[in-house]
Amino acid sequence: MAAGDRKYFSKQLVALLVSAASCSYFGSAPASYGQASAPEQNIAKKIPEEAKLLLSANELVYNRDADLVSAVGGVQINYGGYKMVAQKVEYNQKTGRMMALGNVEMVSPDGNRIYADNLDVTDNFSDGFLNSLRIETTDNTRIVAESGERVGGTKMILNKGVYTACLPCAEDPKRAPFWQVKAKRVIQNGVTHTIRLESARFELLGYPIAFLPFIEVPDNTVKRKSGFLFPTMSLSQNLGFGLSIPYYYVISPSMDATVTTTGYTAQGFLVEGEFRQRFENGTHILRVAGIDQAKPDNFSSGTSDAEASRRGMVASKAEFRINPRWTFGWDVMVQSDNNFSKTYKLRDLTGTDHTNQIYLTGLGKRNYFDMRAFYFDVQDADRTNTAEKQQAIVYPSLDYHYVAPQPLAGGELSADVNLTNISRTHDDFYTVDGFDRFRGLKGQTSRLTGELEWKRTYVTPTGLVITPLLAARGDAFALNMNDPTGYGGNYLDDNSATRSMFTAGLEMRYPILMTTENSTHILEPIAQIYARPDEQLAGRLPNEDAQSFVFDATSLFDRDKFSGYDRVEGGTRANLGVQYTGTFDSGYKLHGIFGQSYQIAGQNSFATDDLVNVGADSGLETTRSDYVGLGGVETPYGVSVTASYRLDEKDFEFRRGDLTTAYQNDTFQTQVTYTHLSAQPAYGFAEDNDEIQTNSKIKFKDYWSIFGGIAWDLNNDVLSRKTLGLTYEDECTIFTIAYTDTRDSNDETASDWTIGARLTFRTLGDIKIGTNTLE
């Protein structure tokens, strides 16, 4: 063959290869929605001009009489990242058409594969035909068709196509996949960037379950495209059956919106809207929802659900990154009544307490700054409930943590600053066992706290780890709150107050390593002592942030065991304990902590009354604390047991704790947790509280699972929660259906029971029933 002929033939092979490559693009997995459509373009990917063509064949033939150029036998072509193999490639100079014949296989640079018996295209690769076509994408999406035609360089039309995202059965490749969509014609449009399945039949396990005139989804070049999304269904006791139809609208490359209309058989139409906008340095989401209830009397009488007719909500959430270290944002919601979002299970707004906040956060290598303002929206069905008005409004709360970049006297110097400013329109109090507990007072209070801490760690030649510590703290209060009426303590009746606390501490640890032929053990005795003056103004100040105090093994070695700044631990205290870790070659692992705390001198802060009686029945109110511990064992057989406990310091009576036993293997997993809390009358719990919670899941027949769980209140002999469900999950489909029954005598909800389900077809979308927060 002449050199000029070789050059001309190479160009034609390039055209053939690019033409074939273009066919593979419509097989990429379509998304349900994505970014705005790209401008009109040719389906084929551009190949760099400097790309080199590599051709390998058993024989290269040029028939001058027929103007036919052929590469015959084991043809391999590699060009610009595209690879193609065929038994024979021909170019007809008279007709301007090119053919690849016999087991044609092509791989595009992104890994997509196209298979065909033969491929026939024009030399400008704008039109062509393929027979017995099969396409496989990198995410295992597959399309098979009897024949395909490319028209005008912008459309690919497949005849009698089948689309699925399921892998073929390894045992029987001819068996129908779990789901597939069969269509008379499959059209990829390079102008609209869509894939259209015409006269579509959706099949499940080989059986048709739905017939549609057409299904149209974006192609792989589109990340967002306007259109209807998959509907969602729900079923609940007082709302009835609900069908939600969402419409997604692309406004611009940085803005989009979703409008969802939900029809409830019992309550009418709920309309939701969500507007999203992305900026260079952050995002903002605006949500609105509203309904005019058709049958409010379906709900329990006297509730906000029953008394409200027109109900609605507006929510805004944003976060902006000012620079790599600083972030600013907010999350706020306003609704017409105090239970609308919870009743209608609006996404991310169903909690009993919704925290509205605005914040500014800075994060350095060793320093941290956070400033936030809070408003707590309490969602309950009691229209006259003052729980929300009893919540504090925080404006603002500031936290700053600083670590000096250079050591001081060989140790680490750190500083903490906290500023809290709150107000409340109603007293938050209740009476239990004859004691009025004031969780919050009407009025306004401010507190500024600053603390310096220095500590250094020494390791002696014998392995003893010694850590001395020095700390100094000061607090300043501005008080403008109502006096607690009926409070038996000596409440401070002043407009301002100050207090200070100085601490000198010493911690000693002596880790002991023990090894045997088949195990390793670490036993570490720990001793701490903190010398401090008595807590100033103990019990005479408001306590807003130190109410959730729990004494257990995790807080045994804390210098200040209170959970917040409003209380500060005083007096001289020692903490003694030991922790252990064991590892065995057989796969067993053990761990545990056990110890006790002692009030050596001074006033015991936990034995001092305050407005919420936070130290009562805590286990620390006596000179010798209760014993606390935790432990666990893990086995190589999937069984694990963990326990946390607090035992009375006199008679070892079980005061508080939980025991969890779990087992897991390839087909079965379960977990059972028993929780016990002894009565704490002065703290608000008049009776013992014992509960068993269990969750289990059994897998059978490869992809099927049954799951369920209960929560059993042993003291009242009530099942407070019941869940039972069924799940199917493979590489292309997820199906879950579950029944949940929740009983709470203190919380009126739209429904005691709900049914939730989700059916997900990979690459196509979801069909949901209910909220599906089930497993």
Side-chain angles (χ1 to χ4, degrees), residues 180-210:
Q180 61 185 3
V181 180
K182 291 184 176 180
K184 289 185 177 180
R185 293 208 312 172
V186 180
I187 304 172
Q188 185 212 14
N189 192 317
V191 177
T192 61
H193 298 275
T194 57
I195 298 174
R196 183 183 177 93
L197 305 171
E198 295 184 345
S199 299
R201 182 177 67 187
F202 187 89
E203 294 186 355
L204 196 64
L205 296 173
Y207 296 96
I209 62 172

Side-chain angles (χ1 to χ4, degrees), residues 21-30 43 110 112-114 133-144 156 158 163-165 186 188 195 218-220 763:
S22 67
C23 299
S24 70
Y25 274 85
F26 78 97
S28 297
I43 299 177
D110 56 9
N112 294 337
R113 293 176 179 269
I114 182 170
L133 178 67
R134 185 173 90 253
I135 298 167
E136 298 177 359
T137 65
T138 53
D139 65 349
N140 292 322
T141 300
R142 287 165 166 74
I143 296 181
V144 179
M156 177 69 71
L158 299 180
Y163 174 87
T164 185
V186 180
Q188 185 212 14
I195 298 174
D219 67 16
N220 68 298
T763 75

Side-chain angles (χ1 to χ4, degrees), residues 534-604:
D534 292 344
E535 178 187 4
Q536 297 176 355
L537 302 174
R540 303 184 63 191
L541 295 169
N543 181 1
E544 294 282 351
D545 68 353
Q547 300 182 9
S548 59
F549 167 68
V550 174
F551 176 52
D552 58 21
T554 62
S555 60
L556 172 63
F557 298 109
D558 289 348
R559 172 164 63 90
D560 190 337
K561 297 178 176 58
F562 284 113
S563 58
Y565 288 97
D566 285 338
R567 291 297 305 270
V568 55
E569 187 176 338
T572 299
R573 178 173 290 275
N575 304 311
L576 298 177
V578 60
Q579 62 182 12
Y580 163 79
T581 302
T583 304
F584 298 82
D585 294 346
S586 59
Y588 284 88
K589 295 181 181 179
L590 305 175
H591 71 275
I593 298 177
F594 182 80
Q596 192 176 29
S597 183
Y598 304 86
Q599 186 73 23
I600 297 176
Q603 183 184 28
N604 186 345

Side-chain angles (χ1 to χ4, degrees), residues 87-402:
Q87 294 179 358
K88 184 178 182 180
V89 174
E90 293 182 346
Y91 173 66
N92 191 316
Q93 292 176 302
K94 290 182 179 179
T95 62
R97 301 193 72 85
M98 192 175 306
M99 294 190 67
L101 306 170
N103 298 325
V104 180
E105 178 181 350
M106 182 97 113
V107 182
S108 63
D110 56 9
N112 294 337
R113 293 176 179 269
I114 182 170
Y115 303 87
D117 286 350
N118 57 72
L119 186 153
D120 181 1
V121 295
T122 58
D123 55 7
N124 64 356
F125 54 88
S126 63
D127 301 281
F129 299 92
L130 299 92
N131 289 325
S132 300
L133 178 67
R134 185 173 90 253
I135 298 167
E136 298 177 359
T137 65
T138 53
D139 65 349
N140 292 322
T141 300
R142 287 165 166 74
I143 296 181
V144 179
E146 287 188 358
S147 61
E149 178 183 1
R150 187 167 181 211
V151 180
T154 60
K155 285 187 179 181
M156 177 69 71
I157 301 174
L158 299 180
N159 299 311
K160 295 185 179 179
V162 179
Y163 174 87
T164 185
C166 301
L167 295 174
C169 177
E171 299 177 356
D172 184 7
K174 295 183 179 180
R175 181 190 300 174
F178 187 84
W179 66 264
Q180 61 185 3
V181 180
K182 291 184 176 180
K184 289 185 177 180
R185 293 208 312 172
V186 180
I187 304 172
Q188 185 212 14
N189 192 317
V191 177
T192 61
H193 298 275
T194 57
I195 298 174
R196 183 183 177 93
L197 305 171
E198 295 184 345
S199 299
R201 182 177 67 187
F202 187 89
E203 294 186 355
L204 196 64
L205 296 173
Y207 296 96
I209 62 172
F211 296 87
L212 296 171
F214 68 92
I215 302 175
E216 190 171 279
V217 294
D219 67 16
N220 68 298
T221 66
V222 176
K223 294 182 179 179
R224 302 184 314 165
K225 187 173 180 63
S226 300
F228 286 99
L229 306 181
F230 271 80
T232 299
M233 290 168 282
S234 63
L235 181 63
S236 58
Q237 185 176 356
N238 295 327
L239 304 181
F241 175 78
L243 176 64
S244 300
I245 301 177
Y247 182 83
Y248 178 77
Y249 179 64
V250 177
I251 302 172
S252 73
S254 61
M255 289 187 293
D256 56 28
T258 303
V259 178
T260 303
T261 301
T262 304
Y264 290 103
T265 56
Q267 299 299 341
F269 288 94
L270 172 72
V271 179
E272 299 176 69
E274 182 172 317
F275 171 79
R276 297 167 290 268
Q277 184 170 9
R278 180 178 294 276
F279 302 89
E280 291 185 1
N281 62 339
T283 59
H284 173 238
I285 300 174
L286 177 66
R287 298 177 60 187
V288 296
I291 190 174
D292 188 355
Q293 294 187 145
K295 298 179 180 179
D297 54 357
N298 272 21
F299 300 100
S300 301
S301 61
T303 64
S304 57
D305 296 307
E307 295 184 8
S309 178
R310 295 181 179 178
R311 312 175 70 182
M313 176 278 303
V314 178
S316 175
K317 185 176 183 179
E319 182 170 282
F320 299 95
R321 184 166 292 277
I322 302 172
N323 59 41
R325 292 189 176 184
W326 289 90
T327 302
F328 169 73
W330 66 82
D331 182 0
V332 297
M333 177 189 70
V334 178
Q335 54 185 349
S336 58
D337 59 86
N338 57 343
N339 208 40
F340 168 65
S341 298
K342 185 178 180 181
T343 296
Y344 285 90
K345 294 181 173 57
L346 303 185
R347 178 174 48 86
D348 299 328
L349 299 174
T350 60
T352 300
D353 300 309
H354 179 76
T355 302
N356 296 278
Q357 60 179 309
I358 181 171
Y359 59 89
L360 173 66
T361 300
L363 183 62
K365 292 182 178 179
R366 308 187 74 183
N367 307 327
Y368 171 77
F369 175 90
D370 183 83
M371 182 170 64
R372 294 172 185 261
F374 296 98
Y375 179 84
F376 301 98
D377 193 338
V378 179
Q379 298 197 87
D380 57 43
D382 186 353
R383 192 174 182 85
T384 62
N385 197 348
T386 60
E388 184 171 319
K389 297 178 181 179
Q390 292 174 339
Q391 296 295 313
I393 303 173
V394 184
Y395 47 88
S397 173
L398 181 151
D399 285 287
Y400 177 64
H401 177 71
Y402 169 81

